[in-house]
Amino acid sequence: MSEESVFVCVDHVGYAVPNLDDAIKLHTEVFGWRLLHRETNEEQGVEEAMLGTGEQLPQNAQVQLLAPLRPDSTIGKWLEKNGGRGGVQQVCYRVDDIEKASQVLRERGVTLLYDSPKTGTGGSRINFAHPKSTGGVLLEIVEPAPGH
Ligand code: MC0
C-alpha cells in the first residue's frame, strides 16, 4: 500500500449532540441536510443519525450526529467535559480494507484503540486512532459494509 492510498476519502464528520431530535431538526430544517439513516449502536453507547446532501454520491462526506445512550458512554463523557454543549467529536476516513489500513497505520506509529475492528454504522467495520497519535483529532476509520 503506497503512502497515498491508505484512505479513500473523508467518510463523515461526527458531532456529539445532547439531543438527537433537536440536532436532526437543526441540520435538516436550517442547514438543509437530508436524513439518510438512523440507528442505535449499543456497543458504542450511541444513538446516531447520518445525513447527506441531495444526491449524496458515494464520495460525498456525510454528517454524523451522535447522542449518548448513557452518561458514562464515550459521547456522554465528552459532552460532560464540554459543559453539556455539542461539538465536533471525530473525523472519519474511509478505507477499502480495514485490516490492511490498520496494519499500515500501526507500522507508521498510529495507536489504534481496538485490536480488531468493531461494528459501526450500517454494518460497517470501524476502528479509532487515539487523538494523541493523530495531532489531537479523534480519527475513525471505516470500511463500509458490502454494497454500501
Ligand atoms: C478525548 N480526547 C480527545 C477526544 N476525546 N481529543 C480529541 N477528540 C476527542 N473526541 C483527549 C482529551 O482531551 C484528553 O487529552 C485525552 O484525549 C484523554 O481524554 P479523556 O477525556 O480521558 O477520554 P478517554 O481517554 O476516556 O477517551 C478518549 C477515547 C474515547 C479516544 C479513548 O473517546 C474513545 O474510546 N473513542 C472511540 C469510540 C467513540 O468515540 N465512540 C463514539 C462514536 P489530554 O491532553 O487532556 O490528556 S461511535 C461511532 O462513531 C460509530 C457508531 C460509527 O461511526 O459507526
Side-chain angles (χ1 to χ4, degrees), residues 123-137:
S124 60
R125 300 168 72 222
I126 60 170
N127 206 333
F128 292 86
H130 197 282
K132 295 248 188 255
S133 66
T134 63
V137 176

Side-chain angles (χ1 to χ4, degrees), residues 12 41 44 46 48 64 66 74-75 77-78 81 89-90 113-114 120-121 124 126 128 130-132 136-138 140:
H12 62 264
N41 186 322
Q44 292 293 333
V46 295
E48 52 147 319
Q64 181 182 48
L66 295 156
T74 303
I75 298 297
K77 287 192 281 185
W78 191 97
K81 269 202 160 180
Q89 189 255 350
Q90 56 163 270
L113 293 184
Y114 310 139
T121 308
S124 60
I126 60 170
F128 292 86
H130 197 282
K132 295 248 188 255
V137 176
L138 176 61
E140 179 182 349

Side-chain angles (χ1 to χ4, degrees), residues 25-43:
K25 212 166 161 8
L26 172 72
H27 281 76
T28 54
E29 294 180 11
V30 179
F31 298 153
W33 287 87
R34 192 161 59 85
L35 181 62
L36 301 174
H37 178 74
R38 188 172 171 157
E39 77 176 67
T40 297
N41 186 322
E42 282 287 345
E43 186 177 34

